[in-house]
Amino acid sequence: MEMNALHAVIVPYPAQGTINPLLNLAHLLSSRGVFITFINTEWSHRCMSKAADKDNDDHNSTSTFRFLSIPDGLPPDRGRLSNPAERVIAIENLGPVLEHHLRCGLPEGTPPITCIIAESFMSCTLQVANNMGVPRVIFWPMCAASSIAQCNSNLLLSRGHIPVKVEESKRADKVITCLPGNLPPLLPSDLCSFYRTTDTSDFYFQWFLRESQFQSKADYVLVNTFDELEAPQTVSALSCNGCPALAVGPVFLPNFLEGKDVSKQASLLEQDESCLKWLDTQQPESVIYVSFGSLAVLSNEQLEELAVGLEKSEHPFLWVLRMDIAGGTPATLPEGFEERTKDRGVIVKWAPQVKVLSHTSVGGFLTHCGWNSTLESMSMGIPMLGWPHFSDQFLDCRFCKDVWKIGIDLEGVDAGENVVVRREEIEKGVRRLMEGKEAEELRKRGMELKEATFKAAGENVVVRREEIEKGVRRLMEGKEAEELRKRSMELKEAAFKAVGEGGSSFLNLNRFIQDMMQLPNGEL
Ligand code: UDX
């Protein structure tokens, strides 16, 4: 190992939604010659190893890519997901243990650490980076708009925008225009759901507020978005002190295009690949994929509504029903549901989501709009029926609908208010997503965005003859042409920017590496 290699220490928050993008980023950097130390808590590492193929556990370190596990300070048998507040406190206090392992736990011959890339809620890394004299790079796993709102929580507090009063959350006279980054005006309901409370001493309210103070103290900022989706001007608003802030996403996409199954390697649960075989037997664009990420919990009453809504929609479905989807209690489905839908429905405990979304049989995604799921869906051109549950998911859902126009939501349902979404609403939503003109429009827009994301990831998309003919007709003939032209002009610019010499995100990541190489501390 060359002692002058760049060495990035990568520290995700120990949750699926941040391990995924950071492990993907780690692979992107590794393939550009950066030495990687990937930090997991012992709990995450155990889950990942358990979920991996028994004969092919790919969590063993190589000479240039090391996994390092550290204890999170909680007893090993303590439920991490069932005691989230306790875990938050433990992670906030992880700094000294992390520093100890970085100083004493790296094998001989490891190049000196160049930088610590920390997920945006790993405030404990600030002191570690300071003590070790290396820059701290903040990685935002949310879209830039959500990240800006989070980073500016204190501004929102001082202007009276948070805490959000539930009854005012949709009021047009309460729109938020004080945030930087040229964001579209935000509704109070777009803000992180943890700010919707009447009790400002609420644990999550205080936690998010506390973290925001550290999120402005970065030496470099990377965001899992791309310039054609959220403008560089928006992304750069995440630099609170003039440091660079760059869009480098979707980080999963270049790995996926290269055939690297990083999402499987990152998975905390075993992915059930049998559903891919079932998808092979389905008609193109016919299946609705249903999943709410790794954390959302649905009551049994809600699960019943969802099951019946899906059944009544009459579309084939692939539904991820996590073991812990109903919280502490076992999930129960309506009597006879599985038998009645066995010819057109499949339920799995955990799916290979990216592979599912890239399967030609999938035509829509009923999703909680977690940012990873949102990026994965738009990168595969799959329109979304958004059903946000918590955190940044509300903004993602609204932007998919109103800003990017690649999704719809469950109309008239304020899912944030602990209401049970009724079967009729679910049925209606699924039908709108899968059937008729609106569905067609959404799919078309989804395909356009898919192309933009592939280009941003540096992929040279070959446009086939059928596409060209169709494109020319759409551009030149009839009513739709006008609308198409307008949109095409916007996308043209995005495509030009993205294809240059490598895509925008590709170049941004190169720039990040170059900047790290030019650090003045002599170790490079
Ligand atoms: C959380 C937050 O909820 C989300 O809002 C935030 O932006 C990131 O962290 P999570 O709720 O788990 O994450 O959702 P999401 O961001 O969508 O991440 C879930 C990941 O798990 C995705 O990368 C998805 O591909 C993967 N997944 C999901 C699977 O591999 N299999 C599944 O069956 C379901």
Side-chain angles (χ1 to χ4, degrees), residues 25 68 137 145 160 197 256 258 261 275 317 324 364 397 441 473:
L25 178 70
L68 180 65
V137 180
T197 175
F256 173 79
E258 267 184 32
D261 200 349
C275 56
F317 62 85
D324 59 351
C397 180
E441 249 332 288
R473 286 188 186 281

Side-chain angles (χ1 to χ4, degrees), residues 143 145 182-187 190 228-231 234 371 378 394-408 442 445 449 487 490:
C143 71
N182 204 21
L183 296 178
L186 298 185
L187 290 167
D190 294 333
E228 292 73 24
L229 189 71
E230 296 183 283
T234 299
W371 185 238
M378 77 167 70
F394 295 87
L395 184 144
D396 298 345
C397 180
R398 198 177 72 77
F399 274 36
C400 280
K401 180 174 158 237
D402 294 337
V403 181
W404 303 317
K405 303 198 189 307
I406 50 171
I408 54 177
L442 276 168
R445 177 72 186 136
L449 256 175
R487 271 206 237 128
E490 290 162 12

Side-chain angles (χ1 to χ4, degrees), residues 131-433:
N131 292 349
M132 298 187 78
V134 294
R136 185 171 86 115
V137 180
I138 289 190
F139 176 85
W140 286 96
M142 308 187 278
C143 71
S146 281
S147 306
I148 289 169
Q150 166 55 27
C151 196
N152 288 281
S153 297
N154 273 301
L155 173 68
L156 294 173
L157 185 68
S158 69
R159 299 282 173 95
H161 289 302
I162 59 171
V164 172
K165 291 194 188 77
V166 169
E167 61 277 15
E168 293 181 353
S169 66
K170 299 269 187 219
R171 266 178 46 185
D173 61 327
K174 294 282 176 188
V175 291
I176 299 153
T177 53
C178 63
L179 291 170
N182 204 21
L183 296 178
L186 298 185
L187 290 167
S189 56
D190 294 333
L191 297 178
C192 171
S193 65
F194 297 136
Y195 290 133
R196 276 192 213 181
T197 175
T198 47
D199 174 13
T200 53
S201 69
D202 175 80
F203 180 83
Y204 291 99
F205 186 94
Q206 285 300 327
W207 174 37
F208 271 55
L209 208 54
R210 210 160 52 239
E211 287 291 330
S212 72
Q213 287 160 23
F214 301 99
Q215 287 158 342
S216 51
K217 294 184 179 131
D219 299 303
Y220 215 106
V221 176
L222 301 176
V223 193
N224 197 13
T225 187
F226 57 107
D227 290 346
E228 292 73 24
L229 189 71
E230 296 183 283
Q233 182 194 4
T234 299
V235 172
S236 61
L238 282 164
S239 163
C240 302
N241 52 9
C243 74
L246 303 176
V248 294
V251 288
F252 84 93
L253 191 53
N255 293 319
F256 173 79
L257 292 171
E258 267 184 32
K260 267 193 218 155
D261 200 349
V262 178
S263 100
K264 185 171 185 176
Q265 189 188 25
S267 197
L268 298 174
L269 297 169
E270 192 176 348
Q271 297 181 339
D272 182 346
E273 300 228 332
S274 65
C275 56
L276 297 172
K277 289 212 177 67
W278 176 78
L279 284 175
D280 289 343
T281 66
Q282 300 301 304
Q283 294 297 313
E285 296 184 349
S286 66
V287 176
I288 179 147
Y289 172 58
V290 184
S291 171
F292 303 102
S294 63
L295 300 169
V297 168
L298 279 73
S299 67
N300 269 316
E301 186 186 3
Q302 181 62 83
L303 287 173
E304 179 174 344
E305 293 296 323
L306 175 54
V308 178
L310 282 177
E311 187 178 352
K312 291 183 101 178
S313 79
E314 297 179 323
H315 283 275
F317 62 85
L318 169 58
W319 183 3
V320 177
L321 209 55
R322 285 188 342 260
M323 289 286 278
D324 59 351
I325 189 78
T329 53
T332 50
L333 297 178
E335 222 182 304
F337 169 77
E338 284 171 89
E339 179 59 27
R340 286 195 303 276
T341 57
K342 69 174 189 303
D343 292 335
R344 62 174 180 87
V346 162
I347 295 178
V348 291
K349 294 193 178 78
W350 194 243
Q353 179 161 301
V354 177
K355 285 184 190 159
V356 166
L357 288 169
S358 67
H359 197 287
T360 50
S361 296
V362 173
F365 185 9
L366 172 49
T367 171
H368 69 315
C369 297
W371 185 238
N372 295 291
S373 294
T374 304
L375 272 182
E376 288 159 6
S377 196
M378 77 167 70
S379 298
M380 297 303 155
I382 303 294
M384 283 166 267
L385 170 53
W387 181 353
H389 282 68
F390 61 89
S391 188
D392 54 321
Q393 297 156 13
F394 295 87
L395 184 144
D396 298 345
C397 180
R398 198 177 72 77
F399 274 36
C400 280
K401 180 174 158 237
D402 294 337
V403 181
W404 303 317
K405 303 198 189 307
I406 50 171
I408 54 177
D409 59 6
L410 292 161
E411 265 183 340
V413 174
D414 192 352
E417 304 324 318
N418 282 335
V419 289
V420 174
V421 181
R422 295 293 160 201
R423 57 193 72 181
E424 296 78 14
E425 287 298 337
I426 295 164
E427 182 194 346
K428 204 170 78 190
V430 171
R431 286 192 185 279
R432 283 179 56 212
L433 187 69

